[in-house]
Amino acid sequence: MQIADKYSPRQIETKWYDYWINHRIFHSEPDQREAYTIVIPPPNVTGMLHMGHMLNNTLQDVLVRRARMMGKNACWVPGMDHASIATEAKVVAMLQKKGIEKSSLSREEFLKYAWEWKEQYGGVILKQLRQLGASCDWERTCFTMDDIRTEGVIKVFCDLYEKGKIYRGVRMVNWDPAAKTALSDEEVIFKESHGKLYYLRYKLEGTDCHLIVATTRPETILGDSALCVNPDDERYKDLPKDARVIVPLVGRSIPVIRDEYVDIEFGTGALKVTPAHDVNDYMLGEKYNLETIDIFNDDGTINDKVGMYVGKDRFDVRRKIEKDLTDAGLMEKVEDYTNNVGYSERTGVAIEPKLSMQWFLSMDDLAKPATRAVMEDEIRFVPEKYKNTYRHWMENIKDWCISRQLWWGQRIPAYYLPKGGYVVAPTAEEALAKARAKTGDDSLQMSDLRQDDDVLDTWFSSWLWPISVFDGIRNPHNKEIDYYYPTNDLVTGPDIIFFWVARMIMAGYEYRHEMPFKNVYFTGIVRDKIGRKMSKQLGNSPDPLDLIAEYGADGMRMAMLMSSSAGNDVMFDEALCEQGRNFGNKIWNAYRLVNGWSVDASLAQSENNRLSVEWFEQRFSKALRDIESDFASYRISEAAMSAYKLFWDDFSGMYLEMVKPAYGQPIDGKTMEATRTFFDQMMRLLHPFMPFVTEEIWQDLEPRKEGESICVAPMPRPVEEEASVLARFELAAEIISKVRNVRNQKNLPQKEALTLKVIEDENYPKEYAPVIMKMANLKSIEIVSEKDAADSAFIVKTTQYFVPMAGMIDMEAEKERLQKDLAYQEGFLSSVMKKLSNERFVNSAPEKVVANERAKQADAEAKIAAIREQLAALN
């Protein structure tokens, strides 16, 4: 292999991804190694890659690739969610384009079309993730509606039913008129909406008086069963106990009831009660045995129960009824009003509260061990702030409506008997046996039973995901579930903490009696650089595949990592992609630079090169320890930045410059070997963040066998720490920087070799003199006891340095510069002394903090003394 002259991400990315796949680098089987497992949050089968996926999957891939290189048996299980509502909507739309209505098809015919759609269009997102470099074990790809997962879901439903945790009943549910299905509370998004508050006139029966009632939904008067006032409301104390009112337009006589539930402060203090279409009204209806009048069809149009506005859409009726009430003199007034309205998370339409026969899962018992696990840190949340969000929801949990009025999904395994009642069984054959036993009628046939038409909520399959991907529901003691479970890390967004994270924890303790994962890393929301949430509507969400095409997957990954930290929103700026690509280019050019050096094996290693190698070995080891600490605390963004700075600043900006041979000259073999070793180690350190460019260079560093890959090369380990090496080198680096500053201030040519004079003390790193001379371009370093007035001086820690400037500087300009420097140092010293003169600070602050302030004092005093000497010498 020969590395190309120019860095071209597109040319290397496909090559290496195909290589990894062909050699099954990402495939995992149980063995004697420690397992490291992540299950992908399964994207919807209808989904396309967006910026949120980019962030989430980049983070997962970094963790998995690092674990693989740490010698663990890393397994990242990919898969897709069947997304009942979204997929059924896609299939219905496809059929409508063909002139076919869902209503004209049998269930079997519709599902045939749905599976065809899934095979043709579904799963695009998993193919797109490959372009990002996702190192998933693609041979393990699962689908929440495949045979294994479906059998597991049905088994769990039957088990929970037998345990008495699943029940069927009429309840007030969140109804989605667009999808024509019930939704769980978690699938309802509340948004601030600008509407109207309508004040309606209900005539008090037998009088000419009216009671005024405020409502935001005047169309629901068609279902009114009562009017309610608070018994403590003085405005209604003279109302007869048996008072009745007439529903406006409808003409129905309804009772006036009294209940403390009514808020005296809202509106007029009188509440219309519509038990079929408001959850609180439903409770009042149950309490006072009120009639329940359901006025809506499943699609949100008005039904024929009242005989008014039949077939019209609910919002059209709202507009029409406002006019009709006004014309009839039954509208007191209308005000603008802002309130929170629930919308379907899937279809975006306003939810309609509706009484409906549904299946529910009782959550109280399931929630207890799952709450304890998080609150006692058995499962760790990163960041911790989400523990309180989780606890609040779990302590106020409601039963989960798990049935959906759809065809795409796992059909509920309940079978209704010809004379009433039902049985629950995993298969139709078992249901028939149960039905015969329950009824005592052995003549019953399969055709006598009718299976429930509803399917289970999609989340009822994905809550089992960490178990079901290893077939742990059907075969709870198979070797894979015993080896890979519990999984290690879950990376997800906080928006599905209730939908998915909490429920997976519940399922884990119910079916494995242990946690499903050890750590949950919550990502933030991806926003644009001015803080707006990315969306198609705003046009501020770039296509990730376009960004990958322009900047490369490695550049895109670095952009996501540089802009994110756990739990915080990501301020994404396309300029970061360019920065990421530039980093790849930096790595590439640095490698080409080193490759261009000729080696003379007979050359002895210079002291400069020996010191350089010694220093970078220690610097690299410190970075390794810092990065290990970052990963232990899930500071993944910080780890990426540490690796970035290590290569850009320390390796490329400092080390390579330190050992670079003079133009046309060779380098000694020992230093070249060390440099290539460092390059190998740097590539391995960077690989989890930038997999493609690191593989390309690692493969070129030395001959590799077919099938070898940096993906499974061991992550470098730090050498024994020698803190003094780094501390002393930092002094040398500052000296080099200060000499360069002198050049810039005095406009001295870089090629002109200078002399450096030193008044030596313990903080002069004389052992690094060879490095200082090369990097600062010095012809000599002289130890002196005093300085010349014409010299340009600077201080590093407590050591004074002077660059002879005889005949090269403007004396007046130099005095002015020194005066400014003196004023700054005196001001700094004053602020330090203010702290140290505060007895409370000195006595109560940690000893280390006080010692640090005293060190600042000593440094500032030394610098002030030196500056004053320089000024005196110039006068």
Side-chain angles (χ1 to χ4, degrees):
M1 208 187 127
Q2 182 62 48
I3 198 161
D5 290 345
K6 287 189 176 180
Y7 172 53
S8 175
R10 190 172 292 186
Q11 288 181 7
I12 64 174
E13 287 172 1
T14 303
K15 173 179 73 174
W16 289 119
Y17 203 87
D18 289 346
Y19 178 88
W20 296 330
I21 294 297
N22 293 338
H23 291 286
R24 302 179 77 205
I25 300 290
F26 307 147
H27 183 60
S28 172
E29 292 288 344
D31 61 24
Q32 74 288 349
R33 291 175 294 166
E34 178 187 347
Y36 176 84
T37 317
I38 287 185
V39 293
I40 201 169
N44 286 354
V45 68
T46 59
M48 302 291 280
L49 199 66
H50 59 60
M51 296 299 286
H53 294 130
M54 291 293 290
L55 172 64
N56 187 294
N57 287 285
T58 295
L59 291 165
Q60 289 178 81
D61 195 46
V62 168
L63 291 170
V64 169
R65 286 182 181 272
R66 180 174 169 80
R68 201 177 279 125
M69 297 177 76
M70 298 295 280
K72 296 175 184 176
N73 188 355
C75 180
W76 184 11
V77 183
M80 292 178 298
D81 189 286
H82 64 272
S84 292
I85 296 174
T87 305
E88 187 147 325
K90 292 272 188 185
V91 176
V92 167
M94 176 197 74
L95 291 171
Q96 286 174 340
K97 285 182 181 177
K98 295 181 177 181
I100 303 170
E101 290 297 322
K102 178 187 172 185
S103 57
S104 70
L105 300 174
S106 68
R107 187 184 196 112
E108 290 69 28
E109 288 169 335
F110 177 82
L111 288 175
K112 183 172 179 288
Y113 280 116
W115 279 107
E116 285 174 1
W117 185 93
K118 183 260 176 187
E119 293 306 318
Q120 186 173 355
Y121 301 106
V124 171
I125 191 168
L126 295 186
K127 296 183 181 72
Q128 293 174 328
L129 283 175
R130 295 172 184 237
Q131 294 187 50
L132 180 65
S135 61
C136 298
D137 185 349
W138 298 108
E139 296 173 45
R140 291 183 174 275
T141 302
C142 299
F143 179 48
T144 53
M145 237 173 92
D146 63 25
D147 290 344
I148 292 174
R149 263 47 64 180
T150 292
E151 195 176 321
V153 166
I154 298 304
K155 183 178 179 180
V156 164
F157 181 95
C158 295
D159 175 66
L160 292 170
Y161 177 78
E162 294 298 331
K163 290 174 178 173
K165 287 183 163 74
I166 284 179
Y167 62 92
R168 183 172 181 259
V170 174
R171 297 286 186 279
M172 182 68 69
V173 297
N174 305 297
W175 188 263
D176 181 336
K180 299 179 188 174
T181 182
L183 303 177
S184 68
D185 290 346
E186 291 70 44
E187 291 169 294
V188 179
I189 308 298
F190 284 90
K191 301 177 189 174
E192 192 174 85
S193 300
H194 301 291
K196 295 179 180 179
L197 191 59
Y198 304 85
Y199 290 78
L200 314 184
R201 306 182 75 195
Y202 286 68
K203 187 180 179 188
L204 190 59
E205 202 172 63
T207 76
D208 291 328
C209 299
H210 290 82
L211 295 186
I212 309 302
V213 178
T215 180
T216 57
R217 302 165 69 211
E219 67 278 9
T220 59
I221 62 172
L222 303 178
D224 283 359
S225 295
L227 191 147
C228 188
V229 296
N230 192 306
D232 298 326
D233 194 332
E234 289 293 320
R235 290 170 292 184
Y236 302 109
K237 66 179 181 180
D238 295 330
L239 211 57
K241 286 192 176 178
D242 59 352
R244 299 179 71 86
V245 293
I246 306 299
V247 179
L249 294 182
V250 180
R252 181 188 308 126
S253 173
I254 57 174
V256 177
I257 60 175
R258 291 160 177 81
D259 195 280
E260 290 177 349
Y261 164 73
V262 179
D263 182 359
I264 294 174
E265 302 300 321
F266 178 77
T268 62
L271 175 77
K272 59 190 280 309
V273 183
T274 316
H277 299 294
D278 182 275
V279 66
N280 296 309
D281 291 10
Y282 173 66
M283 289 188 286
L284 285 172
E286 291 276 283
K287 186 174 179 179
Y288 295 99
N289 197 27
L290 301 173
E291 183 183 4
T292 299
I293 307 166
D294 185 349
I295 65 169
F296 290 119
N297 295 314
D298 287 351
D299 62 358
T301 58
I302 304 296
N303 62 30
D304 59 2
K305 287 188 180 174
V306 181
M308 300 173 70
Y309 309 107
V310 176
K312 295 188 185 307
D313 179 77
R314 55 187 170 151
F315 295 116
D316 292 337
V317 173
R318 184 174 298 177
R319 287 185 285 272
K320 179 74 168 63
I321 213 166
E322 179 183 358
K323 182 178 184 303
D324 292 349
L325 286 163
T326 302
D327 292 346
L330 296 170
M331 181 75 78
E332 183 76 9
K333 62 178 177 176
V334 179
E335 295 176 346
D336 289 333
Y337 188 68
T338 299
N339 65 336
N340 281 332
V341 175
Y343 291 86
S344 167
E345 189 247 352
R346 291 295 180 201
T347 64
V349 303
I351 289 302
E352 198 60 59
K354 180 179 170 70
L355 275 177
S356 180
M357 178 67 80
Q358 302 289 340
W359 291 88
F360 295 87
L361 173 58
S362 177
M363 302 298 276
D364 285 345
D365 291 344
L366 291 169
K368 286 170 187 171
T371 306
R372 179 200 57 75
V374 172
M375 298 319 294
E376 294 180 6
D377 292 324
E378 189 172 308
I379 297 172
R380 178 184 175 196
F381 276 13
V382 181
E384 276 199 1
K385 66 182 180 181
Y386 289 111
K387 282 173 64 175
N388 285 331
T389 307
Y390 177 87
R391 177 184 55 78
H392 178 75
W393 185 75
M394 294 293 272
E395 289 176 354
N396 295 279
I397 199 164
K398 295 178 182 176
D399 287 356
W400 176 9
C401 176
I402 57 174
S403 46
R404 297 292 179 270
Q405 289 63 57
L406 301 165
W407 281 350
W408 176 250
Q410 280 102 0
R411 193 171 180 181
I412 289 174
Y415 297 81
Y416 297 99
L417 308 177
K419 294 182 179 178
Y422 60 87
V423 293
V424 169
T427 65
E429 291 75 21
E430 291 173 78
L432 181 59
K434 279 192 170 186
R436 286 172 175 173
K438 185 172 183 175
T439 61
D441 183 356
D442 288 341
S443 68
L444 279 178
Q445 300 300 311
M446 201 80 78
S447 58
D448 296 322
L449 305 184
R450 178 180 64 83
Q451 187 176 353
D452 196 303
D453 285 326
D454 290 354
V455 298
L456 287 159
D457 180 7
T458 303
W459 296 105
F460 196 84
S461 54
S462 50
W463 80 315
L464 305 172
W465 191 245
I467 307 172
S468 66
V469 295
F470 300 114
D471 200 13
I473 297 294
R474 300 190 318 161
N475 300 300
H477 301 296
N478 76 75
K479 71 173 185 178
E480 293 216 332
I481 190 74
D482 288 342
Y483 179 74
Y484 290 115
Y485 188 97
T487 68
N488 293 75
D489 297 318
L490 177 73
V491 180
T492 188
D495 52 326
I496 55 173
I497 191 170
F498 311 130
F499 283 127
W500 194 45
V501 178
R503 290 170 178 166
M504 280 191 290
I505 297 172
M506 291 185 231
Y509 284 98
E510 181 70 15
Y511 287 101
R512 298 294 302 175
H513 309 296
E514 62 178 327
M515 67 189 108
F517 28 72
K518 296 164 189 164
N519 305 287
V520 183
Y521 179 104
F522 290 107
T523 64
I525 296 169
V526 183
R527 300 183 181 276
D528 63 20
K529 62 184 178 183
I530 59 172
R532 298 176 304 172
K533 186 176 179 180
M534 286 191 169
S535 69
K536 288 180 182 176
Q537 289 81 3
L538 287 174
N540 64 342
S541 182
D543 184 332
L545 297 181
D546 290 343
L547 295 175
I548 289 174
E550 185 170 356
Y551 301 105
D554 286 337
M556 182 71 192
R557 290 165 68 107
M558 281 305 292
M560 300 311 299
L561 291 165
M562 286 190 285
S563 57
S564 68
S565 60
N568 293 320
D569 288 352
V570 177
M571 299 302 174
F572 181 80
D573 185 348
E574 195 169 324
L576 290 170
C577 295
E578 189 171 357
Q579 187 178 343
R581 183 187 60 192
N582 291 346
F583 184 42
N585 204 49
K586 182 79 171 177
I587 295 169
W588 194 271
N589 289 337
Y591 181 63
R592 289 189 65 246
L593 171 72
V594 171
N595 265 0
W597 295 343
S598 60
V599 180
D600 184 343
S602 66
L603 271 182
Q605 187 180 44
S606 68
E607 184 64 4
N608 171 79
N609 287 3
R610 185 194 70 75
L611 289 163
S612 301
V613 170
E614 177 189 65
W615 164 71
F616 190 74
E617 186 177 59
Q618 284 294 320
R619 178 68 192 90
F620 183 75
S621 288
K622 182 180 186 305
L624 279 180
R625 283 188 283 270
D626 291 344
I627 288 168
E628 283 175 9
S629 173
D630 284 336
F631 271 103
S633 301
Y634 291 86
R635 296 190 299 265
I636 302 172
S637 177
E638 288 84 346
M641 282 306 299
S642 291
Y644 174 95
K645 288 176 180 176
L646 177 69
F647 188 93
W648 194 292
D649 298 337
D650 298 313
F651 183 67
S652 184
M654 185 63 81
Y655 173 78
L656 291 183
E657 291 299 315
M658 287 158 67
V659 300
K660 183 169 69 175
Y663 182 74
Q665 297 299 308
I667 190 171
D668 67 273
K670 194 171 182 179
T671 304
M672 186 61 160
E673 183 183 353
T675 302
R676 292 181 72 83
T677 298
F678 289 150
F679 229 114
D680 177 282
Q681 292 175 325
M682 285 296 314
M683 293 306 95
R684 284 185 277 150
L685 178 63
L686 284 164
H687 176 74
F689 310 112
M690 303 185 77
F692 294 107
V693 69
T694 52
E695 181 77 89
E696 177 80 4
I697 290 172
W698 187 84
Q699 292 281 350
D700 192 67
L701 273 162
E702 61 180 77
R704 309 286 183 189
K705 295 175 185 173
E706 182 64 23
E708 277 193 274
S709 171
I710 194 174
C711 295
V712 287
M715 185 62 65
R717 300 290 184 181
V719 297
E720 190 175 341
E721 184 177 6
E722 291 182 42
S724 62
V725 170
L726 293 178
R728 298 289 284 177
F729 182 82
E730 281 304 306
L731 295 171
E734 191 173 347
I735 294 164
I736 294 163
S737 175
K738 292 286 179 80
V739 172
R740 289 173 175 174
N741 287 343
V742 169
R743 284 187 185 277
N744 292 334
Q745 288 169 3
K746 313 300 181 188
N747 294 317
L748 302 177
Q750 295 296 328
K751 292 180 180 179
E752 185 175 333
L754 303 175
T755 297
L756 181 66
K757 296 178 182 179
V758 187
I759 298 179
E760 187 177 11
D761 67 5
E762 72 276 6
N763 288 318
Y764 168 54
K766 61 182 176 183
E767 66 274 30
Y768 283 101
V771 175
I772 295 167
M773 287 186 67
K774 179 176 181 179
M775 296 296 285
N777 190 17
L778 302 175
K779 55 190 174 188
S780 65
I781 298 178
E782 299 175 8
I783 306 299
V784 297
S785 56
E786 55 184 33
K787 67 173 186 67
D788 189 299
D791 293 349
S792 184
F794 60 84
I795 294 176
V796 174
K797 207 155 180 80
T798 58
T799 313
Q800 297 185 58
Y801 298 88
F802 314 94
V803 178
M805 291 283 118
M808 292 193 288
I809 62 166
D810 180 335
M811 300 288 277
E812 290 306 313
E814 182 67 3
K815 283 182 189 177
E816 187 178 340
R817 185 187 69 78
L818 288 170
Q819 289 286 4
K820 285 181 181 177
D821 199 6
L822 178 63
Y824 170 78
Q825 292 296 340
E826 286 176 337
F828 177 73
L829 178 61
S830 175
S831 67
V832 171
M833 294 310 297
K834 192 172 182 181
K835 278 188 183 179
L836 291 173
S837 63
N838 183 334
E839 284 187 30
R840 189 174 172 187
F841 168 76
V842 173
N843 294 331
S844 60
E847 191 177 325
K848 192 175 180 181
V849 173
V850 176
N852 187 42
E853 291 301 314
R854 295 202 190 281
K856 288 181 187 177
Q857 175 192 357
D859 285 354
E861 286 172 346
K863 286 174 181 174
I864 288 167
I867 293 167
R868 283 177 174 158
E869 279 185 37
Q870 291 174 60
L871 283 168
L874 289 173
N875 289 329

